[in-house]
Structures are given as structure tokens and as C-alpha cells.
Amino acid sequence: MWTADEIAQLCYEHYGARLPKQGKPEPDREWTLLAAIVKIQRPPEKPGPVTKEVVSMGTGTKCIGQSKMRRSGDILNDSHAEIIARRGFQRYLLHQLHLAATMKERSIFVPGTQKGCWKLRPDLFFVFFSSHTPCGDASIIPMLEFEEQPCCPVGRSWTDSYSGEASVHLEAPENKRMCNSSVSPATKKMRLEPRTPVQEVANGVAHHGKPIPPRAWSCDDAVERPTAVTRTDLRGAKVVDVYRTGAKCVPGEAEDPRRPGAAYHQVGLLRVKPGRGDRTCSMSCSDKMARWNVLGCQGALLMHFLEEPIYLSAVVIGKCPYSQEAMERALVGRCQNVSTLPKGFAVQQPNIQQSDLQFEQSRCAVQARKGDSPGRIVPCGAAISWSAVPEQPLDVTANGFPQGTTKKKIGSLQARSRISKVELFRSFQNLLSSMAEDKWPDSLRELDWKWSSWNSN
């Protein structure tokens, strides 16, 4: 029906044609990440060509610290491309529900069996695309001694039997330096530091790793550095290290061993995105995508109107360091023990593939073009959101607010991103206003008393 390269090429073409120059990386100096959600329509008669359409797209690499978070919901806490694309997808779903409720145009939804509820048309499904593996657990990828990037997939039995992997997340150059085995013991010293044992991971996302040893190595210590840990994969190739993710373990939970080489990371753990001095409260993209794989992409508000969650049928990753086993572990394997879900919810098994096509503004592509030219490349500070909606489909933000927002404007309507929580809630209110009250789902009647407190904001 479709190939990974077809999905990647469609997204790259959409990025070049539909997204503005404003918010894109400065050529040969900045890089960014790209994510999108593609609607696939099956042919009415098989066999036949499928119809592919990008319905949401996002770029971005940044995340604000916890000190900048606001209770009003008018700031974007997480501006990684995957999260921007999902927020834009929620805008698209809200618009499609409006079309279904008003019956003005054909919608992706058809009436369900319950009063006021809708369900996705049976000939449609959605594919998620990302130009790079999601930060966090999916980016903890083995480095094989004889291979160049990207890495070949490793066998499942190797990942199951050894949990002390580590990674260098290529899309996070601002992260702290890693402890490389090539560094001389005379120049790098280590210390022993107690670590907590592996605990049960919260929110139903389970890990498959063995308990972390009671002591683990960390940088900047006064004890002689140990030999880097290596392992072999199923083919007998030596795994000398792993790509390290900048995402940090959730405070109070199990921690990374931080040993040299292939024992730097503990796989399967929940992680938060890194902050420069100010810790963030945003979970890694791997963790969020794992949650979407169980609860759907629609969110709690839209679920009032839907009989079934909106799941992603497939995930496509662009050309980058990649491990099929790491992707399946991060998005699916960690959730296998989740149980007692409401009716209609279940752990999904999306089709996970990688494309051979590289994003032209990824860090690797920009670095290759730059070569040995002076100057360093840096992540782009802006994020772009595009959604297939008729009114104001584009949204360019920086530091969680529309680009160009001054401190004096913060708190005003003009300083709100269209995909901020408060604006998505307003779109939800507009959807309710367009419907006769007797058409509302029963679950919303119980919440009616809450609307008035929001109308004044």
C-alpha cells in the first residue's frame, strides 16, 4: 500500500512547500527535527492506489524548564517536533469533528452507535513520521565496532539479556559530555556512587532491564577509571558503546549506571527531557509516544465525542542511527503489562519502519554539508506547527510563545500559540457551541458546570 520512503518523501516535500521560511533553521548553521502525521485512505476497491495526505506537521528541538511553566496553559512546555505534530493533529481532529457535527462538509468521522459520539471512517488510518528516533528510550542504540552510522538493528535476545546500554543522542549536542572509553585514565577520573535498585516504573510503562548494580560509575571522580564495558550481538559483532540520549531518568526512580562504554544507560526507564540548568517536567518523546500507543492521540477532551481512541497504525523514522529492537521496546514492549483499560483501549502494535531518506535540515545532513568549515552548528530555537485546518494553519513559536512575543504581551490573547492547551480548549468550547445541547454526549453534561469558569479567561 505504501513504503517508508514514500511517507518520508511526502513529508519532506510538504515541509519545503507548505512551511514558511520563518522558523526554519538558518542554512548551514542550524538544524532541526521534523515530525508529521499522514492520513492514508484505502482504495474503495482492492487492489488500487492509496491516497496519502499530510494533516499535521511540526518542527522543533526545545523544551522549557519547570520555572517557566504557567498554570494558565498559555505556553508550550514541550516544543519537540513529535509533540508539536501531535498538538497540530488535535487541531485537525477538532476541525473534523466540527464538520461532522454541522454536516457542512465530508468529515473523517461517521456517527457512532452512542448518542453524540463519532468514530473514524473505516477506510482511513494514520501514519506517524519523524526524521529522527524519539528522544529517550528509543534513542538508546548500540554502536557496533565495524559499522558506520546508522547502526544495524540488534537482536532481541541481546537487548533482553543485557540492560546496561548507553547512547549518544545525535540530536542533542548541547548535552553534557559523555565518558568515552578513548579518554586516558590519567585525564579522566571516576568515583563510585551508590545507585538505587530498579523499581517498578509508574504509569503502567514497564521496563525489562535487570536490577542496576548497587554501585555505578559517574564522571569527575577521584578513583581510577575502569575499562569500558563491551558486549557482542547475535552476529558476534562487538558492541563498543551506545548512542546516548540526553533525556534524564525521572527523579526518584531508577537511575542510569553511567558506566563507560555499552553500560552507560539502563534501557526501558521513564525519562524527562534535559534542560540547561533548569530541569524540565516534560517526559521524553519515547515515553509520550508509548502513552499514545495505549491511550490514543486524541486527548481526554476529544474522547468525550469519540467511541474509540485514534491510534497510529504505523511509525516511520527517517535516515538516522536506528535500532528496530530499540523502537519496538520503547513504544510497544514497555507497555505490554498495562491492563484494566477502559473499553475500546488496548496496547497497539504499530508497523514500525525506517526510511533510507534523510531530512535535509537534520543535524547530520547540515554537518555533512558544512564539512570542515569554521563555526559550530546549533539547534534551531524556533518551532513550526502546521495543521490541515482552514483558519490560521501555521504557528511559529520560540520559548513556548509566538515568535516575537515581548514580556509585556505575555498573558494576552496575542501571546498564545494556537496549539497551547488554553487555545485547544477554546477550540473545544467552539465545537460545543456549534452543537445543539441535546446532541451532546452524556459524559459532557456532567461537566457542564465547569465551562463558565473558563469562559472568562
Side-chain angles (χ1 to χ4, degrees), residues 90 93-94 97 298-306 428 431:
Q90 288 178 310
L93 294 178
L94 279 162
L97 278 171
Q298 71 290 328
L301 284 179
L302 284 179
M303 198 62 214
H304 287 290
F305 284 104
L306 300 176
F428 181 76
L431 173 62

Side-chain angles (χ1 to χ4, degrees), residues 47-93:
V50 300
T51 302
K52 301 182 291 291
E53 177 189 0
V54 176
V55 296
S56 176
M57 179 167 282
T59 71
T61 65
K62 300 294 185 179
C63 187
I64 67 168
Q66 61 182 2
S67 65
K68 296 181 180 179
M69 297 174 68
R70 293 167 58 86
R71 292 180 178 273
S72 56
D74 60 353
I75 187 172
L76 295 180
N77 299 331
D78 189 343
S79 293
H80 281 213
E82 296 94 326
I83 313 308
I84 297 292
R86 188 255 185 166
R87 288 284 187 95
F89 185 54
Q90 288 178 310
R91 282 192 77 195
Y92 169 76
L93 294 178

